[in-house]
C-alpha cells in the first residue's frame, strides 16, 4: 500500500467519512493525526452547501478536532465561484442554508425573489412547498436552474435523508428544465481542490463514501480513489457501478494501518 503513502495530497469528503450528523466516526482522530505526522496536504471537500468553512471548522472543534479553516472547501463556495464567473453581479433566488447564501453574497451575487437570473438549490431548512412554487415560477420565466451538488441522499445520525438532487427534482420535473450541478463529480470543483492543495492529480487521492460523486470524481480527474464503507455505500452496492475504487476500506481509521503494512 505504498501508493497511499506516496500521495502528497488528500481530498476527503466529510458526511459519512468524518462524521454522521454531530457524531465523529471511529478512527477519524487517528487519520487526522497521521495526515499531520506525514506532512500531507489535505482538504475536506464537501458537497454539503449548508455550512461555511468556518462553521465546519467549529463543528469539528466541538467534536475535539482542531483543524484550520483553510482545510475546508464546499459546494456552496464552488457554486458562488461558478455563478460569479458566468454572470458577475447577477441575482438569485436561493433555497438553501446560510453557508450557501453567505458564499453567494461574498461573490457579489444578490438575493432576488422577484425576477432572479438564477434559481439555486442546496440543502437547508428553507426548503418547503412555497419555495418550490416560487422556484418553478422563476424557472418558467427564464431563470437558470443551478444545483449545488448531485447527491440524491446523505447520511445522518438518524439514517439516510434526502439531499440536493432529491430536493431539486420537483422543480426539474415541473418545468422540464435540467439543473446544472456544480459540486462533485463536476471537474470544476475537483480542479479547484487540487489548486488549493497545490498538487497534481497524480499526486492526490480522494477519500469518500459515495460511488456516484466521490469515486467517479476521482477517476475522471485522475486521482487515486479510496472508498470507505462508513457512509451510504455498502460493499454489495459497489458491484452496481461500471467502475471501481482502487481501495475499499471500512473507514478512514484504516488508512494509517493500511500504509504501515
Amino acid at each position: 500500500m505504498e501508493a497511499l503513502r506516496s500521495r502528497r495530497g488528500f481530498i476527503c469528503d466529510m458526511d459519512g467519512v468524518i462524521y454522521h450528523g454531530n457524531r465523529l466516526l471511529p478512527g477519524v482522530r487517528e487519520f487526522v493525526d497521521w495526515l499531520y505526522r506525514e506532512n500531507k496536504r489535505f482538504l475536506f471537500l464537501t458537497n454539503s452547501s449548508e455550512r461555511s468553512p468556518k462553521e465546519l471548522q467549529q463543528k469539528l472543534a466541538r467534536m475535539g478536532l482542531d483543524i484550520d479553516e483553510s482545510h475546508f472547501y464546499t459546494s456552496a463556495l464552488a457554486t458562488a465561484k461558478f455563478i460569479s464567473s458566468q454572470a458577475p453581479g447577477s441575482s438569485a433566488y436561493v433555497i438553501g442554508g446560510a453557508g450557501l447564501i453567505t458564499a453567494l453574497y461574498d461573490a457579489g451575487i444578490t438575493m432576488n425573489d422577484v425576477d432572479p437570473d438564477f434559481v439555486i438549490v442546496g440543502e437547508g431548512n428553507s426548503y418547503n412547498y412555497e419555495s418550490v412554487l416560487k422556484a418553478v415560477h422563476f424557472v418558467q420565466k427564464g431563470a437558470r436552474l443551478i444545483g449545488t451538488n448531485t447527491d440524491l441522499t446523505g447520511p445522518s445520525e438518524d439514517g439516510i435523508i434526502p439531499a440536493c438532487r432529491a430536493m431539486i427534482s420537483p422543480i426539474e420535473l415541473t418545468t422540464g428544465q435540467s439543473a446544472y450541478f456544480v459540486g462533485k463529480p463536476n471537474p470544476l470543483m475537483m480542479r479547484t481542490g487540487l489548486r488549493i492543495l497545490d498538487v497534481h492529480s497524480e499526486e492526490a487521492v480522494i477519500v469518500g463514501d459515495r460511488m456516484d460523486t466521490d469515486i467517479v470524481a476521482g477517476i475522471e480527474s485522475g486521482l487515486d480513489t479510496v472508498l470507505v464503507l462508513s457512509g451510504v455505500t455498502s460493499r454489495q452496492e459497489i458491484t452496481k457501478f461500471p467502475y471501481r475504487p482502487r481501495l475499499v476500506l471500512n473507514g478512514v481509521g484504516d488508512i494509517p494501518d493500511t500504509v504501515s503494512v
Side-chain angles (χ1 to χ4, degrees):
M1 302 300 179
E2 283 301 312
L4 272 188
R5 183 182 291 278
S6 67
R7 306 299 179 190
R8 295 175 57 226
F10 279 70
I11 292 178
C12 304
D13 187 32
M14 297 193 74
D15 292 322
V17 176
I18 302 301
Y19 53 66
H20 282 174
N22 292 307
R23 176 172 60 86
L24 203 66
L25 289 169
V28 170
R29 287 187 178 87
E30 292 79 2
F31 172 59
V32 172
D33 288 344
W34 177 84
L35 289 171
Y36 280 117
R37 189 169 64 249
E38 296 292 324
N39 294 315
K40 302 297 186 184
R41 301 180 183 184
F42 68 94
L43 183 69
F44 292 119
L45 190 76
T46 175
N47 261 359
S48 175
S49 62
E50 193 170 357
R51 294 182 176 88
S52 68
K54 184 64 175 178
E55 289 169 325
L56 291 171
Q57 183 267 328
Q58 291 175 344
K59 178 175 181 173
L60 289 190
R62 289 191 292 270
M63 299 180 192
L65 282 181
D66 184 15
I67 297 173
D68 189 80
E69 184 181 343
S70 62
H71 289 286
F72 300 89
Y73 192 74
T74 72
S75 66
L77 293 173
T79 299
K81 181 180 179 182
F82 170 75
I83 297 294
S84 64
S85 67
Q86 288 279 302
S90 58
S91 65
Y93 177 70
V94 180
I95 303 175
L100 176 58
I101 293 171
T102 300
L104 292 166
Y105 270 130
D106 289 346
I109 310 302
T110 56
M111 303 300 107
N112 182 342
D113 62 358
V114 177
D115 56 353
D117 302 301
F118 294 90
V119 168
I120 304 173
V121 179
E123 291 94 359
N125 294 328
S126 64
Y127 187 93
N128 55 49
Y129 186 61
E130 182 181 354
S131 65
V132 171
L133 291 182
K134 284 186 177 181
V136 166
H137 171 73
F138 294 142
V139 172
Q140 288 173 333
K141 292 292 185 179
R144 286 158 282 180
L145 183 60
I146 303 291
T148 58
N149 63 86
T150 60
D151 295 63
L152 188 60
T153 61
S156 75
E157 291 179 279
D158 300 317
I160 300 299
I161 58 175
C164 182
R165 188 64 191 256
M167 297 165 76
I168 205 171
S169 60
I171 303 169
E172 291 183 306
L173 292 170
T174 305
T175 62
Q177 297 294 317
S178 296
Y180 180 72
F181 295 95
V182 181
K184 296 175 292 185
N186 192 322
L188 288 173
M189 190 168 177
M190 298 302 296
R191 284 198 294 268
T192 299
L194 291 170
R195 281 197 298 270
I196 291 172
L197 291 178
D198 192 24
V199 298
H200 191 274
S201 58
E202 294 178 353
E203 301 174 298
V205 57
I206 185 167
V207 183
D209 70 317
R210 299 192 68 103
M211 291 288 290
D212 56 350
T213 56
D214 304 313
I215 300 307
V216 72
I219 291 172
E220 293 180 351
S221 300
L223 281 69
D224 194 6
T225 51
V226 176
L227 179 77
V228 291
L229 303 176
S230 52
V232 301
T233 305
S234 68
R235 194 174 293 274
Q236 293 73 28
E237 288 172 329
I238 299 172
T239 61
K240 298 178 182 178
F241 295 85
Y243 48 85
R244 296 287 182 272
R246 188 179 70 81
L247 280 178
V248 179
L249 303 174
N250 290 322
V252 293
D254 290 347
I255 291 178
D257 295 333
T258 298
V259 299
S260 65
V261 296

